[in-house]
Amino acid sequence: MGKGKLYGIGVGPGDTELLTLKAAKILEKVPVICAPRASNEKESIALSIVQPIIDKRADRKKVMIVAPIFPMKKDIENLKRHWMEASIIIADYLNSGRDVAFVTLGDPSIFSTFTYVQKNLETNYEIEVVPGITSFTACAASIKKPLVEKNEILTIVPKIDERLNDILSHGDCFVIMKASRNSKKVEKIIKKDPREKTITSVQNCTQENEKIIDGFSKEKPYLTTTIVKFDEE
Amino acid sequence: MGKGKLYGIGVGPGDTELLTLKAAKILEKVPVICAPRASNEKESIALSIVQPIIDKRADRKKVMIVAPIFPMKKDIENLKRHWMEASIIIADYLNSGRDVAFVTLGDPSIFSTFTYVQKNLETNYEIEVVPGITSFTACAASIKKPLVEKNEILTIVPKIDERLNDILSHGDCFVIMKASRNSKKVEKIIKKDPREKTITSVQNCTQENEKIIDGFSKEKPYLTTTIVKFDEE
């Protein structure tokens, strides 16, 4: 019996309808779905996005759901242990000949938990990566404004630190992911830039509780994206 | 009779399977599909991506396909005239109460022809933007390497000019779109950066003639994306 194949599937920002046809087809037939979550108390957001697809399967009761914990912590050694544990569980299923779909919010190549599992398993297993809708293009769609046009430069920043000071003058549009974590600091850096700008934040993009905010978000939910667009000169 | 609604639909990089469920549902029922093309001699790539969806429709013979020309030229006044002409054609259909789906390669918010039509029509018509898979995350999926992880910064550059000199030291991963147009110049700028790096180019990503190249592409097809990833320090 051959080994199973590992799919890294981007499930998009929240709305099940933003799954790709390809992702939906894989999720309609794969025997094992692996959906990381932040803690024992929290549901996996990626799993909740694909749940309607699973619920429609005739064999839904036989689908194996694995929900390893990938804590949102900074202790890198502890994180590595969690990633390795999850990789070993996935490898067990692959060794038994079953395909595994690892579902990840947004796209698997942009700040994704899938990256760590992929690095652990890519030498020994066949892997296929299925791209997903990124949160920032979904946010742009929600606010109905383009991110970049013509010769503009787009920069995606995962969190705020002193680097924003250095890069701000070199770009036309900045996407700040997980922006709610440090918004005072970002605000200060961005307001220093003398160019005319539009700042918009989107919370829980494409989900039922989506909220569009002029400027920065004062609340602290995990899924906030801020778009800073400088006007054309 | 009410006015029709305009959908700006990102159709992804090339593979029809990378349409979202939402995009496919709209394209299964909308009476008018607008698909821009570069010249009279060229087929619309966006149209070719959605054609399998149209072909499955029972009413496919009644679907109105509009293919305005959006030339790839730099003469801005001439371009504006073409965009306005296309917008007027679309407005005619909307005024007659018909919904129109404008299909655009990749995502409608990133260097998309849809932006110009949107700006002409957004004041007077209801518009819904449906995000699509961007070429750069599809390229990353094809080469099975992440673009960014942890605290890395991702920058998307539409074409090469002296700005790349200024921004290169401030980022960890650079995506150069339409990279084949000026690859000698890019190579020179990037090789000057002393950091260890991996350079990969993808031609016609997710299409049948997809080609992955180590380094820069020496050929000149339109749809080439180059990913420059600097190693972690």
Side-chain angles (χ1 to χ4, degrees):
Chain A
M1 190 181 55
K3 285 177 188 173
K5 180 173 173 179
L6 174 60
Y7 294 95
I9 297 184
V11 300
D15 180 357
T16 303
E17 293 293 299
L18 291 180
L19 281 171
T20 62
L21 300 176
K22 186 170 186 172
K25 277 184 190 165
I26 295 166
L27 292 165
E28 278 162 12
K29 65 175 176 53
V30 82
V32 184
I33 294 171
C34 181
R37 54 192 170 140
S39 74
N40 248 324
E41 293 72 42
K42 286 190 181 162
E43 296 264 302
S44 159
I45 304 172
L47 182 62
S48 72
I49 294 169
V50 303
Q51 194 67 52
I53 306 287
I54 303 168
D55 290 345
K56 274 188 215 150
R57 286 174 61 160
D59 64 347
R60 60 187 168 276
K61 287 183 183 165
K62 287 186 189 158
V63 180
M64 183 67 73
I65 308 285
V66 186
I69 293 168
F70 281 25
M72 298 284 165
K73 285 180 184 160
K74 285 181 179 170
D75 172 1
I76 188 77
E77 287 310 314
N78 184 29
L79 281 176
K80 277 188 180 166
R81 189 172 54 77
H82 280 277
W83 299 333
M84 188 49 82
E85 279 172 11
S87 304
I88 290 167
I89 295 169
I90 293 168
D92 261 357
Y93 285 108
L94 296 172
N95 289 336
S96 76
R98 281 176 278 189
D99 292 343
V100 177
F102 186 105
V103 290
T104 186
L105 208 57
D107 181 278
S109 69
I110 296 186
F111 310 121
S112 166
T113 49
F114 178 66
T115 295
Y116 311 114
V117 169
Q118 184 180 8
K119 283 183 181 171
N120 286 334
L121 299 176
E122 65 191 353
T123 319
N124 293 308
Y125 300 93
E126 188 189 352
I127 293 180
E128 182 171 351
V129 183
V130 180
I133 300 293
T134 63
S135 60
F136 52 88
T137 68
C139 290
S142 286
I143 64 177
K144 296 178 193 181
K145 293 287 170 205
L147 292 168
V148 276
E149 48 188 303
K150 295 171 201 150
N151 294 330
E152 290 175 339
I153 292 174
L154 171 65
T155 300
I156 319 297
V157 185
K159 64 157 206 168
I160 303 316
D161 52 35
E162 68 288 347
R163 294 176 303 172
L164 198 60
N165 273 312
D166 299 327
I167 57 173
L168 208 59
S169 65
H170 300 298
D172 306 291
C173 182
F174 289 81
V175 170
I176 301 154
M177 293 175 82
K178 301 175 194 172
S180 53
R181 286 195 185 167
N182 220 336
S183 68
K184 281 280 162 217
K185 205 167 171 182
V186 196
E187 259 188 90
K188 216 171 149 185
I189 295 174
I190 288 165
K191 284 190 176 158
K192 269 201 300 191
D193 193 300
R195 290 175 288 174
E196 287 291 314
K197 52 193 120 15
T198 311
I199 303 165
T200 316
S201 299
V202 185
Q203 289 175 3
N204 304 311
C205 187
T206 80
Q207 296 180 43
E208 275 177 24
N209 54 348
E210 177 182 281
K211 194 170 159 188
I212 296 170
I213 299 153
D214 263 340
F216 293 93
S217 167
K218 304 294 170 204
E219 296 160 64
K220 299 255 176 221
Y222 174 60
L223 296 170
T224 298
T225 301
T226 296
I227 297 169
V228 180
K229 178 84 197 268
F230 291 100
D231 288 358
E232 286 179 71
E233 272 153 28
Chain B
M1 190 180 54
K3 285 177 186 172
K5 181 174 173 179
L6 174 61
Y7 295 95
I9 297 183
V11 300
D15 180 356
T16 303
E17 292 294 298
L18 291 179
L19 281 171
T20 62
L21 301 175
K22 187 171 186 173
K25 277 183 190 166
I26 295 165
L27 293 164
E28 278 161 10
K29 66 176 176 51
V30 81
V32 183
I33 295 171
C34 181
R37 54 193 170 138
S39 73
N40 247 323
E41 293 72 42
K42 286 189 182 163
E43 296 265 302
S44 160
I45 304 172
L47 183 61
S48 71
I49 294 170
V50 303
Q51 194 66 52
I53 306 286
I54 302 168
D55 290 345
K56 274 187 214 151
R57 287 175 60 160
D59 64 348
R60 61 187 168 276
K61 287 183 182 161
K62 287 185 191 159
V63 179
M64 182 67 71
I65 309 286
V66 186
I69 293 167
F70 281 24
M72 299 284 166
K73 286 181 184 158
K74 285 181 179 172
D75 171 2
I76 189 78
E77 287 311 314
N78 183 29
L79 281 175
K80 277 187 179 165
R81 190 173 53 78
H82 281 276
W83 300 333
M84 187 50 81
E85 279 173 11
S87 305
I88 289 166
I89 295 168
I90 293 168
D92 261 358
Y93 285 109
L94 296 172
N95 289 336
S96 76
R98 280 176 279 189
D99 292 343
V100 177
F102 186 104
V103 292
T104 186
L105 207 58
D107 182 278
S109 69
I110 295 186
F111 308 122
S112 167
T113 49
F114 179 66
T115 295
Y116 312 115
V117 168
Q118 184 180 9
K119 284 183 182 171
N120 285 335
L121 298 175
E122 64 191 352
T123 319
N124 293 307
Y125 300 93
E126 186 188 353
I127 294 180
E128 181 171 350
V129 183
V130 180
I133 300 292
T134 63
S135 61
F136 52 88
T137 69
C139 290
S142 286
I143 64 177
K144 297 179 193 182
K145 294 286 170 206
L147 292 168
V148 276
E149 47 189 305
K150 295 171 200 151
N151 295 331
E152 291 176 336
I153 292 174
L154 171 65
T155 300
I156 319 298
V157 186
K159 64 154 209 171
I160 303 316
D161 53 35
E162 67 289 347
R163 294 176 302 173
L164 197 60
N165 273 312
D166 300 327
I167 57 172
L168 208 59
S169 64
H170 300 299
D172 306 290
C173 182
F174 289 81
V175 170
I176 300 153
M177 293 175 82
K178 301 174 195 172
S180 53
R181 287 195 184 167
N182 219 335
S183 67
K184 281 279 162 220
K185 206 167 170 180
V186 196
E187 259 188 89
K188 216 171 150 185
I189 295 175
I190 288 164
K191 283 189 176 157
K192 268 201 303 193
D193 193 299
R195 290 175 290 173
E196 287 292 314
K197 50 194 121 17
T198 310
I199 303 165
T200 316
S201 298
V202 184
Q203 288 175 4
N204 304 310
C205 187
T206 80
Q207 296 181 41
E208 276 177 24
N209 54 350
E210 177 184 281
K211 194 170 160 187
I212 296 170
I213 299 153
D214 262 340
F216 292 93
S217 166
K218 305 292 171 209
E219 296 161 63
K220 300 253 177 223
Y222 175 60
L223 295 171
T224 298
T225 301
T226 295
I227 297 169
V228 180
K229 177 86 198 265
F230 291 101
D231 289 357
E232 286 179 73
E233 271 154 28

